[in-house]
Amino acid sequence: MMAEPLDIAIIGAGTAGLSARAEVAQVTDSYRVFDPGPYGTFCARAACMPSKALLHSAHAYHRRHALEALGILGGDALKVDAARVMEETRKLRDSLVEGVKDSMESWRDTHLVPHAAILEPDGILRAGETRFRPRATVIATGSQPVVPEGWRDRLGDRLLTSDDVFDLRDLPRRMAVIGLGPVGLELGQALARLGVEVTGFDPAATIGGLADPDLLARFRRSLSDEMTIVNAAADPVATESGAIRMDWDGGETEVDMLLVAMGRRPNLDALGLEAWDVALDEDGRPDLPEGQLNLPETRVYFAGDAGTGPALLHEASDEGRLAGHFAACNGDARFDRRTPLRMVFSDPQIALAGATWDALKDRAEEIAIGEASFDQSGRTRLQRAAGGALRIYAEKATARILGAAI
């Protein structure tokens, strides 16, 4: 069967893939987007959008503790209907997903190929029974949760990831969260504020990506009132009673369900990249030059979670647009990445801009640190909030601001 010539192949219809398509469509109509579904972007289906909906319910319920100080009585009588909270979270999620699908209507019937793409030798891409020969290819296949080998077999549907936690019909009494990066922290605190007994495990010194020791100590104290934090790795063991025993060096506890938030791995293993002489490292990622989205001397571009950049929505959108633009123009996708910016919608919230403490701590003598506390600010006192602090890092020799953490 002859291969159909194609200007651009875009593999994946998530945030990065859709951003790439928008750029490509301005230059050529000879493109196809390959994705078997589900559609609606990972962010809308299972990441930042439904998590914020769940957090909003959790933070609103937690606010009852401050009502009496505002002269509003009866807050202690409020109750959570966990099943209803999860139902409303799904309703909002589904409406956001439908919005993304609606935005695809103008090109879906003509340019979407609803099959998984498989790469074959000689630059051939196969989707279902059809073969294509693209001039350039944007790979934006997203990622999947990292789950240690054997855990799913041992725990079955008692093991959750951020991909499926929002499909819970009710909330368990006790939950363990493995991994306290931004995802584990946000979901763990939300569950705790909705009445779940949460125990969080992470051997790393950081929480939510926050590494500055002064801010981290403050944050740990704040969080300890809501959930138990164990600074260690833990191993889950299924018990005969149906519970899960969490074992770690120094203790054990039992929970009803386990949420694994140990990071994500690119969806590249089944693509057949070896047929195009593309090798992946031990983390399943391509070896891309710094500040470049395509492999040297090729027109194969990686964007979003399939690449090597930060796993953030705005970064995926940027990379998708850049990959689509340079693929359409037949050029190397070289660029200067924007100043890093991360936000975690915990309470207190976390924001990190520029270089982090981890990147600067070995240069401590060269760095000046400015600090401001929000503990006694007017807004904090009016809201009966917990306050917080800002730390700004600058280079002494140049007075150049390098980064900040809040």
Side-chain angles (χ1 to χ4, degrees):
M1 181 187 297
M2 293 290 294
E4 178 182 332
L6 197 62
D7 275 354
I8 314 291
I10 301 169
I11 307 177
T15 297
L18 293 178
S19 296
R21 190 215 69 85
E23 290 293 322
V24 167
Q26 297 181 54
V27 178
T28 177
D29 194 53
S30 177
Y31 73 87
R32 295 291 184 274
V33 178
F34 299 84
D35 195 318
Y39 305 113
T41 80
F42 170 69
C43 185
R45 292 196 321 273
C48 47
M49 295 183 187
S51 70
K52 301 309 173 287
L54 184 65
L55 280 164
H56 187 70
S57 296
H59 293 336
Y61 179 60
H62 185 74
R63 183 67 176 156
R64 74 192 186 281
H65 296 302
L67 294 181
E68 188 170 350
L70 300 173
I72 303 172
L73 305 181
D76 291 342
L78 292 174
K79 296 181 180 179
V80 167
D81 183 340
R84 178 70 181 275
V85 168
M86 299 308 294
E87 179 184 355
E88 294 298 329
T89 297
R90 286 190 294 273
K91 283 182 181 178
L92 181 57
R93 175 199 65 184
D94 293 346
S95 69
L96 294 167
V97 167
E98 286 304 314
V100 176
K101 290 180 179 178
D102 289 345
S103 71
M104 299 168 60
E105 282 299 315
S106 63
W107 55 270
R108 184 169 179 166
D109 291 341
T110 53
H111 290 81
L112 178 66
V113 180
H115 296 285
I118 303 296
L119 307 186
E120 297 182 342
D122 301 323
I124 299 298
L125 183 156
R126 176 171 55 83
E129 299 300 318
T130 308
R131 301 167 78 234
F132 299 85
R133 186 185 297 278
R135 175 183 57 76
T137 301
V138 176
I139 297 177
T141 46
S143 60
Q144 59 186 297
V146 172
V147 178
E149 187 176 356
W151 283 21
R152 287 193 184 277
D153 293 336
R154 282 158 33 196
L155 303 178
D157 59 8
R158 289 173 293 174
L159 185 150
L160 302 170
T161 69
S162 61
D163 282 11
D164 44 41
V165 67
F166 302 107
D167 289 319
L168 281 174
R169 298 300 162 179
D170 206 343
L171 296 178
R173 183 171 66 86
R174 305 167 299 180
M175 176 84 82
V177 179
I178 302 285
L180 293 175
V183 173
L185 171 60
E186 286 186 355
L187 292 177
Q189 188 178 42
L191 293 169
R193 291 192 164 188
L194 291 169
V196 179
E197 296 176 19
V198 175
T199 305
F201 297 89
D202 201 318
T206 60
I207 295 181
L210 186 63
D212 185 296
D214 286 20
L215 297 182
L216 188 58
R218 290 178 59 111
F219 192 79
R220 282 183 177 275
R221 287 194 299 270
S222 173
L223 202 61
S224 65
D225 293 335
E226 303 183 46
M227 54 191 288
T228 301
I229 303 297
V230 179
N231 192 203
D235 187 45
V237 179
T239 67
E240 293 183 358
S241 67
I244 301 170
R245 190 180 75 243
M246 304 299 298
D247 291 336
W248 71 93
D249 186 12
E252 66 176 50
T253 191
E254 285 194 351
V255 297
D256 303 305
M257 302 191 82
L258 173 64
L259 173 63
V260 178
M262 302 173 70
R264 302 183 68 86
R265 180 183 176 89
N267 290 325
L268 296 174
D269 294 342
L271 197 56
L273 284 166
E274 63 278 0
W276 288 11
D277 296 324
V278 177
L280 304 177
D281 63 20
E282 60 181 14
D283 294 323
R285 299 182 183 279
D287 185 18
L288 299 176
E290 183 68 25
Q292 187 167 324
L293 298 177
N294 64 299
L295 293 163
E297 301 180 3
T298 77
R299 291 296 172 256
V300 180
Y301 304 79
F302 293 83
D305 284 2
T308 57
L312 297 168
L313 174 65
H314 63 274
E315 296 280 359
S317 181
D318 283 353
E319 291 182 9
R321 282 195 290 267
L322 287 163
H325 171 79
F326 285 104
C329 296
N330 200 36
D332 288 333
R334 298 192 181 101
F335 68 105
D336 293 325
R337 194 176 293 278
R338 68 167 78 189
T339 300
L341 176 64
R342 295 175 179 268
M343 290 172 283
V344 184
F345 293 87
S346 55
D347 185 13
Q349 294 181 358
I350 296 170
L352 305 171
T356 63
W357 176 262
D358 272 351
L360 298 173
K361 63 184 179 182
D362 292 337
R363 301 174 53 195
E365 294 184 358
E366 305 170 24
I367 304 300
I369 301 176
E371 180 174 329
S373 170
F374 311 138
D375 292 344
Q376 297 302 316
S377 72
R379 182 175 181 179
T380 297
R381 296 173 67 183
L382 286 169
Q383 293 181 337
R384 278 66 164 182
L390 161 69
R391 302 250 290 176
I392 298 177
Y393 317 121
E395 193 172 46
K396 293 178 180 178
T398 63
R400 178 169 174 257
I401 294 176
L402 304 177
I406 305 176

